[in-house]
Amino acid sequence: MTTIRYLGGPTALIEFGVTRLLTDPTFDAPGDYPIGTRTLVKTAGPSLAAAEVGAVDAVLLSHDQHPDNLDAAGRAYALGAPLVLSTASARERLGDPVRTLANWDSYDLEGGVRITGVPAQHGPDGSEHLVGEVTGFVIEGEGRPTVYVSGDNASLDVVRRVANHFGPVDIAVLFAGAARTPLVGDAYLTLTSDGAAEAARILGARHVVPLHFEHWAHFTQGPDTLETAFARAGLTDRLHLLKPGERVEL
């Protein structure tokens, strides 16, 4: 059994059998979060505090350079975890316990759980020098569902590469708020609702759990547009649109 509990923003607790994994820890209160010459505005806090989450076996950190994916309290939590899998840039900035997980490389946890790093593109083509390095993850175990965690990815071509490498996935955890900031003009930094529905189709995913679609002012789409997009694509039965604190067993 795989259980996903949505905590808010990009943060979810994934219980993959007895293995506990946490995505992009963000536990700070609502407010303004400066980044360079811009400010990101957080509109709601998490459904659980870091202490209430408890211990995990690993943190899956898509990237560390943006406060909507790793904030101060989330950083403290991650640095107290036994293992953080992330980008080479995050390893350089954060040090232990961060371990670089390059694209297509795998890390084996106890209990037969394998986590593989996969590409993610945080914006339009050619924007990595502006937005920084980002990664996604695929979680596997013998006799268990395959779980894809997109991270902050805006590219369906990237999704196709993941699908071509792994074949159909059982559960797609998609960051799908259609984020926009002046950094890349009118382009999207993460999947739109229609893009999330198309990603589900490309992946052949039986279940889709959206993350990172609310609680920040730079998201331009949310629950209503996700419901509409999946209905239009004939995929409503695959969509698990959770409220903060809710969980789904898959």
Side-chain angles (χ1 to χ4, degrees):
M1 182 69 70
T2 296
T3 300
I4 300 177
R5 185 172 189 179
Y6 171 49
L7 304 186
T11 311
L13 178 63
I14 301 175
E15 294 178 293
F16 193 73
V18 298
T19 301
R20 304 181 88 235
L21 306 166
L22 190 73
T23 64
D24 287 8
T26 53
F27 295 109
D28 284 354
D32 293 349
Y33 290 84
I35 174 171
T37 59
R38 296 162 289 124
T39 297
L40 302 183
V41 179
K42 188 175 186 178
T43 59
S47 60
L48 290 179
E52 295 175 296
V53 173
V56 295
D57 296 284
V59 171
L60 306 184
L61 178 62
S62 68
H63 60 301
D64 70 301
Q65 65 267 27
H66 299 149
D68 59 324
N69 293 86
L70 185 70
D71 55 22
R75 183 185 302 258
Y77 181 92
L79 294 180
L83 173 68
V84 178
L85 298 175
S86 193
T87 64
S89 302
R91 166 65 190 175
E92 291 177 4
R93 287 186 286 258
L94 300 177
D96 292 336
V98 179
R99 180 186 177 100
T100 300
L101 191 63
N103 291 341
W104 316 120
D105 284 354
S106 298
Y107 187 95
D108 292 330
L109 295 171
E110 291 184 4
V113 177
R114 170 165 289 186
I115 301 173
T116 302
V118 296
Q121 182 177 306
H122 194 6
D125 292 348
S127 61
E128 185 172 332
H129 68 290
L130 296 172
V131 299
E133 187 181 16
V134 182
T135 193
F137 306 92
V138 170
I139 309 164
E140 299 174 285
E142 186 174 355
R144 305 180 192 181
T146 299
V147 182
Y148 165 56
V149 180
S150 72
D152 273 2
N153 172 60
S155 170
L156 290 174
D157 286 339
V158 164
V159 174
R160 290 185 186 95
R161 291 174 63 192
V162 173
N164 288 339
H165 190 92
F166 288 95
V169 305
D170 298 290
I171 303 168
V173 179
L174 302 178
F175 290 26
R180 272 182 172 170
T181 74
L183 189 65
V184 293
D186 292 334
Y188 292 108
L189 291 159
T190 55
L191 289 174
T192 64
S193 296
D194 285 333
E198 179 63 9
R201 188 196 63 77
I202 292 168
L203 293 161
R206 296 187 298 115
H207 304 282
V208 177
V209 180
L211 298 182
H212 220 24
F213 59 89
E214 59 185 355
H215 301 163
W216 289 88
H218 60 291
F219 295 154
T220 64
Q221 298 179 10
D224 292 345
T225 56
L226 281 164
E227 288 183 337
T228 298
F230 274 73
R232 186 164 51 236
L235 301 176
T236 295
D237 60 329
R238 304 188 195 186
L239 179 64
H240 301 275
L241 195 57
L242 304 178
K243 295 179 180 178
E246 287 185 342
R247 70 181 75 198
V248 60
E249 294 183 353
L250 303 169

